[in-house]
Amino acid sequence: MPADPPHSATHPQRSTTSQPTSGSRASAIEVRRSARRRRTVSAYREGDRTVVLIPARMSEAEEKRWVNVMLAKLEAQESRRALGDTELAERAERLSAQYFGGRAGPRSVRWVTNQNTRWGSCTPAEGSIRLSHRLQGMPEYVVDYVLCHELAHLLVPGHGPGFWRLLEAYPKTERARGYLEGVVAADRLPRPPGLRDE
């Protein structure tokens, strides 16, 4: 299932917004119809909204069916990505072995809900790593980058040149940093005009 980012179309699009079906994690579902789109249907999360992109010629019944299909696919994808604390600790152990020769050994690794201005934190003296719950559902390479970042802090506490040299071992560092910078920038942008909050 492709995750199409928002795009500007030369043809007018019709958008409808509705409440989600029960069990959906999004607070609203926006269906965008496009004359440019012929056969494909795709969906992505945009904050607390799910956007479903469909061809303009699709019937209301087909729209309803495809919205349910795409919601189920997104939720299945997200549940596969969601790691519990145990899996997160196991993942940190594997990353330490792969990129730091097993030298970064945290005593605890867990998700927390009280970090809204940072992606992760580490207390080297305690050997504890905490990751923000906001990372849940993000691509695996992004979660791995934040884990590697915090694992590197177990070896080098500050953000000096030695820290960044150590973190270079993780090959997707720049890509993950770019992704997180994009998330931060998107959070600061105002909602585009014409999108109704229901």
Side-chain angles (χ1 to χ4, degrees), residues 5 76 122 165 197:
C122 173
R165 274 194 303 276
D197 286 324

Side-chain angles (χ1 to χ4, degrees), residues 27-113:
S27 66
I29 299 161
E30 180 178 345
V31 177
R32 294 182 188 168
R33 290 176 172 263
S34 171
R36 285 189 351 187
R37 189 172 282 271
R38 297 286 178 217
R39 281 177 268 192
T40 60
V41 175
S42 60
Y44 61 92
R45 303 286 193 198
E46 190 175 78
D48 63 352
R49 172 184 306 269
T50 300
V51 178
V52 181
L53 306 169
I54 64 172
R57 60 176 175 68
M58 191 172 277
S59 72
E60 294 295 321
E62 287 176 308
E63 173 185 319
K64 187 174 180 181
R65 182 177 74 80
W66 274 108
V67 165
N68 288 330
V69 165
M70 299 313 282
L71 284 174
K73 281 187 178 184
L74 280 175
E75 288 168 10
Q77 221 176 34
E78 289 160 356
S79 68
R80 282 195 304 270
R81 285 187 196 143
L83 303 171
D85 288 348
T86 302
E87 293 87 2
L88 198 60
E90 290 168 358
R91 188 180 208 124
E93 191 176 317
R94 283 194 305 275
L95 291 168
S96 175
Q98 187 172 0
Y99 299 112
F100 306 114
R103 294 179 298 133
R107 290 189 194 100
S108 70
V109 183
R110 62 191 172 92
W111 295 108
V112 293
T113 58

Side-chain angles (χ1 to χ4, degrees), residues 152-171:
H153 277 311
L154 292 176
L155 303 172
V156 180
H159 285 107
F163 170 83
W164 293 109
R165 274 194 303 276
L166 190 62
L167 196 53
E168 284 174 2
Y170 182 64

